[in-house]
Amino acid sequence: MVREENVKLMSKIAIYEKRNGKEEIPMSGYFKSDYVRLNVLKTCVSATIAFVIVAAVIVIYKMDYILANVFKIDYKSFGFAVLLLYVIWMLIYWLAARILYSIRYEKARTNIIEYNHNLKKLQEESQKEFVKAMRGVVINDDFIDF
Amino acid sequence: MTTLLTFRDNIKSFLGRFDYIITPIAKGIFALVMFLILNNQFGYFAALNNKILLAGMALICAFVPIEILAGLGFVVVVLHSVKLSIDVGILALALVLFFYCAYMRFSPKTGIVALIIPMCYSLHIIYAIPIVLGFMVGPAAIIPAIFGVVLFYYQEGLRDVSNILVTATEEEESVQGYQYIIDLFIANKFMLLTFVVFACVILITYVIYRMSFSNSWIVAFIVGGIMNIVLFLFGSITLMVEVELSSVLIGTIVGILIAVVLQFCKGIVDYQRTELLQYEDDEYYYYVKAIPKLSVSEMNKNVKHINSKTH
């Protein structure tokens, strides 16, 4: 038999899974610190790629100059300058990613709590049905009054 | 005003009910317009202008998330550039990859803004866009908007390069599109000015729009508009670049008007959607269509006028 209450619950759950759930449900598998750390790591990789792209574009643009002065360039100070820029660039991304992913985790948490609550309710409902089918009686403790 | 509001609510409920049909159609049309404008602006890869291909791409875009639509737009830009010459193709790829790694990864939905900007240039409403972005998207739109401006000037540079390549003889093969475009970027002070003005106007419009005093929205649009005009004027004087004052003025006014209309319609966009769901339990397969309950219609609306002068 199709039970209206169950359909309502299942629809609520399905709507969440279809919309925000895709991104948010995997989050529930992590502690906040792990989630933030993992995403900061991913961000660091993509920020490094972005930095390398910019560096490559500049190197190709300045290729004529570099080839003409191959022996004159002070590689030590040049390397140091690039390293400094890289560190600043990464620091900005590291900080931004920490803040961004912490906020995202917190936002998702409330939705996930509601989702879990709905799942639990659904489970309870089906348990009740099961008991009913097996013994024909459901013991609901609300009615037990001593 | 009441009629207008009822009209808005009717549209809202209509959209809510038929969302699953209307959204794909709107997305498909938007994608088609975007690809047409991109092909018109770049247009070096004739095969991409194929009508069947365009229709196919628009059809695909109708059913995929908006970020994939943005990605496809970028692929089209890169393909056009590669067709013109390999070195500018590499530059285009580098630009797009940089934008993806540095920004779009975090906020994929705003990526589409970067493609809307070149569209606005070709529709001559570019000076209107920062006010609209300021209240519709907020500060998250600043970097995509800047990238969009870069994309537009890249396309301008590409046009120059294609002209040079057509007229260049074989001895002049040293013409490097890559170098030429970066030189253009560096020398283009107006592009720099546009970056700064867009960032400021988007931020100011957003901040005022979010303030809690009554009618903050209209104040935000007007202050944003004034900032737009003043900053462009100030920039043109200090950086010694030419700014077409008339187009800035008209653009700003158009921007404010668009913003007012969108503000009125904004409630329409956050409608409760009809959901088509599929799930199963141990006994049944469910195909559920969840329709939102309607809130306001003309029949049950009762406007009571309270006039204090009568007392």
Side-chain angles (χ1 to χ4, degrees):
Chain A
M1 194 183 74
V2 178
R3 286 167 58 96
E4 199 185 328
E5 276 307 308
N6 282 9
V7 172
K8 274 182 195 167
L9 266 178
M10 285 193 280
S11 298
K12 256 187 201 169
I13 292 166
I15 286 175
Y16 177 71
E17 281 175 356
K18 200 175 158 190
R19 287 198 200 156
N20 299 340
K22 271 182 204 159
E23 280 177 26
E24 291 178 356
I25 292 169
M27 281 186 198
S28 61
Y30 295 96
F31 288 116
K32 185 178 174 184
S33 57
D34 286 345
Y35 173 77
V36 172
R37 237 176 265 155
L38 178 71
N39 279 292
V40 166
L41 197 69
K42 281 184 193 167
T43 305
C44 286
V45 172
S46 74
T48 305
I49 295 171
F51 188 84
V52 169
I53 289 169
V54 174
V57 166
I58 294 172
V59 165
I60 298 172
Y61 176 64
K62 289 276 183 194
M63 192 56 97
D64 289 345
Y65 174 81
I66 292 168
L67 287 179
N69 299 293
V70 127
F71 299 111
K72 292 180 202 161
I73 299 171
D74 181 4
Y75 286 102
K76 203 174 165 187
S77 61
F78 177 71
F80 186 71
V82 171
L83 199 70
L84 191 72
L85 276 178
Y86 178 69
V87 170
I88 294 170
W89 174 257
M90 292 307 279
L91 215 61
I92 294 169
Y93 269 90
W94 178 78
L95 204 67
R98 271 199 81 95
I99 297 169
L100 181 79
Y101 288 106
S102 302
I103 294 172
R104 276 194 192 168
Y105 190 88
E106 285 303 329
K107 266 190 184 169
R109 181 133 68 182
T110 43
N111 291 341
I112 288 170
I113 288 171
E114 200 190 327
Y115 171 70
N116 282 339
H117 178 73
N118 282 341
L119 279 181
K120 208 175 164 190
K121 248 197 218 158
L122 187 67
Q123 202 180 12
E124 280 169 6
E125 287 293 323
S126 60
Q127 203 98 36
K128 262 188 207 171
E129 250 174 80
F130 178 71
V131 172
K132 213 175 182 178
M134 293 302 281
R135 293 174 200 159
V137 191
V138 186
I139 302 167
N140 196 338
D141 29 352
D142 290 348
F143 294 100
I144 299 174
D145 194 5
F146 294 106
Chain B
M1 196 65 192
T2 322
T3 337
L4 264 179
L5 285 173
T6 319
F7 176 66
R8 183 180 74 173
D9 283 333
N10 286 342
I11 294 182
K12 196 173 161 181
S13 59
F14 176 77
L15 284 178
R17 183 153 280 198
F18 298 104
D19 170 74
Y20 58 96
I21 304 171
I22 292 167
T23 306
I25 292 175
K27 240 198 265 173
I29 292 172
F30 174 78
L32 190 66
V33 172
M34 188 184 85
F35 288 131
L36 280 175
I37 290 180
L38 279 180
N39 282 345
N40 186 26
Q41 282 182 333
F42 290 86
Y44 306 109
F45 204 156
L48 285 176
N49 244 333
N50 187 330
K51 279 178 191 132
I52 299 168
L53 185 71
L54 274 179
M57 287 206 302
L59 195 69
I60 293 169
C61 288
F63 298 101
V64 295
I66 200 98
E67 42 266 46
I68 295 180
L69 170 61
L72 260 178
F74 291 134
V75 169
V76 167
V77 169
V78 172
L79 283 179
H80 278 301
S81 312
V82 169
K83 184 72 179 174
L84 183 66
S85 105
I86 292 291
D87 57 341
V88 288
I90 291 172
L91 182 60
L93 190 66
L95 278 176
V96 169
L97 275 181
F98 175 75
F99 176 62
Y100 177 76
C101 290
Y103 190 77
M104 209 180 137
R105 245 198 90 236
F106 307 104
S107 174
K109 286 202 165 55
T110 53
I112 197 72
V113 173
L115 288 163
I116 290 176
I117 297 280
M119 286 166 75
C120 291
Y121 268 107
S122 68
L123 297 172
H124 303 290
I125 51 166
I126 188 61
Y127 298 111
I129 205 71
I131 304 169
V132 177
L133 286 179
F135 94 99
M136 290 289 281
V137 189
I142 292 177
I143 291 173
I146 286 176
F147 183 70
V149 175
V150 169
L151 213 59
F152 173 74
Y153 283 103
Y154 167 76
Q155 167 260 328
E156 293 268 285
L158 220 57
R159 193 174 294 169
D160 289 353
V161 171
S162 79
N163 287 338
I164 295 168
L165 282 179
V166 168
T167 51
T169 53
E170 279 185 19
E171 295 97 61
E172 292 175 324
E173 279 219 329
S174 59
V175 178
Q176 283 270 336
Y178 183 93
Q179 243 92 2
Y180 182 84
I181 289 175
I182 295 185
D183 281 338
L184 268 188
F185 278 172
I186 294 169
N188 195 341
K189 283 182 191 166
F190 187 64
M191 187 170 87
L192 210 66
L193 175 65
T194 316
F195 291 171
V196 177
V197 176
F198 274 24
C200 290
V201 174
I202 288 175
L203 208 62
I204 286 168
T205 313
Y206 175 76
V207 168
I208 301 178
Y209 184 81
R210 294 295 297 266
M211 282 181 180
S212 57
F213 61 89
S214 55
N215 290 333
S216 64
W217 56 278
I218 189 75
V219 178
F221 301 156
I222 290 171
V223 173
I226 293 170
M227 285 297 287
N228 203 18
I229 297 166
V230 169
L231 283 176
F232 267 114
L233 269 182
F234 181 71
S236 75
I237 295 163
T238 48
L239 290 173
M240 312 285 271
V241 285
E242 251 184 66
V243 177
E244 275 182 60
L245 189 61
S246 56
S247 52
V248 174
L249 267 176
I250 295 169
T252 306
I253 293 166
V254 170
I256 293 173
L257 289 179
I258 294 176
V260 169
V261 173
L262 286 179
Q263 165 70 20
F264 180 73
C265 303
K266 209 181 176 202
I268 293 178
V269 187
D270 358 285
Y271 53 84
Q272 201 86 38
R273 290 173 172 78
T274 300
E275 292 284 354
L276 295 174
L277 307 163
Q278 285 177 33
Y279 48 84
E280 59 180 294
D281 63 7
D282 295 340
E283 296 161 25
Y284 297 98
Y285 289 106
Y286 296 84
Y287 295 91
V288 176
K289 188 175 180 183
I291 299 173
K293 284 185 179 164
L294 307 178
S295 51
V296 188
S297 66
E298 193 154 27
M299 293 299 285
N300 59 21
K301 190 181 245 174
N302 186 12
V303 180
K304 202 172 190 178
H305 292 280
I306 301 169
N307 197 344
S308 58
K309 281 177 188 172
T310 56
H311 296 289

